[in-house]
Amino acid sequence: MSNFSDKVVLITGAASGFGRLLAEKLEAQGAKLALGDLNADGVKAVAGALDVSSIACSCDVRDEQQVAEFVAKTVAEFGRIDIAINNAGIGTPMKSLVDTSEEDMDFNFAVNTKGVFFGMKYQIPVMAEQGGGAILNVASMAGIAGAHKMTPYVAAKHAVVGITKTAALEYARKNVRVNAVCPYFSPTPLVAKGIDRDVQEMVAAGAPMKRLGTPEEMVNAMLHIVDPDNTYMTGQAIAVDGGVSAI
Ligand SMILES: NC(=O)c1ccc[n+]([C@@H]2O[C@H](COP(=O)([O-])OP(=O)(O)OC[C@H]3O[C@@H](n4cnc5c(N)ncnc54)[C@H](O)[C@@H]3O)[C@@H](O)[C@H]2O)c1
């Protein structure tokens, strides 16, 4: 497996964490990269450090027009999109359900769910027209199970899993594979900033492997899902969780 040479890969949220690491690993395998992020300087810096053909776009996934333009720029530059990874996402401070505000819910849905929806809305027609492609939506273990004090994130990520399965059904005959990955906690900047150290230690202890997964382990699993040889997997929500979902 793992032949991404000359494949055109679009990644949202590519300035940091999983998105950045995906770009670096795909560079090593000769992919052509379209990198988007709300953090325009950050994503330019990531693209600038790559040795492969790449473009960097300022793209807020909450804004349908910006997502449409990012997809259009990718096609204008490379002529196609083989793989799209809808990875941009945010977390909000942990709160019990009764302390959660409507704004917390709206913010999570705007970035984590609608951002993925807008991405697929513009990526799918390109892939259908060219004869196929693979989409990977970065959900979370919070997309397939409850998570203490994370109501808005859990709701938004469950929605990601739902729209992933629906898109997979609608476009299977167009040879567009659509899957979601559901990582357990991993120490990216999102977790370092948003989750207290003692909570990180507690969730690590709760995993059968008794540790968190590294960002590299998460990204390796994501690359397996979108591998061009992995042609019959679609509509799945795949946990990468050190065994947590088997408990
Ligand atoms: N790290 C974990 O433990 C973990 C676990 C499960 C799921 N996830 C998911 O993985 C994805 C990547 O997270 P990460 O851990 O690498 O976090 P991160 O904070 O390191 O990276 C997220 C990136 O998304 C960008 N972003 C945020 N809002 C955006 C917007 N509106 N438009 C475009 N870009 C935006 C940020 O600028 C940042 O570069 C997210 O969807 C997150 O929910 C992470």
Side-chain angles (χ1 to χ4, degrees), residues 13-19 37-39 59-62 87-90 111-112 138-141 153 157 183-191 193:
S16 173
F18 296 154
D37 204 288
L38 181 63
N39 175 355
C59 174
D60 182 343
V61 297
R62 291 170 293 184
N87 162 74
I90 48 87
V111 182
N112 290 339
V138 181
S140 167
M141 277 296 288
Y153 188 79
K157 292 294 189 178
Y184 194 49
F185 291 87
S186 181
T188 62
L190 179 88
V191 164
K193 274 184 283 174

Side-chain angles (χ1 to χ4, degrees), residues 10-14 35-40 43 56-71 73 88 115 118-119:
L10 176 155
I11 305 171
T12 67
L35 308 178
D37 204 288
L38 181 63
N39 175 355
V43 79
C57 294
S58 167
C59 174
D60 182 343
V61 297
R62 291 170 293 184
D63 182 329
E64 180 168 1
Q65 193 55 38
Q66 290 189 32
V67 176
E69 283 168 12
F70 178 33
V71 170
K73 276 185 198 158
F118 291 146

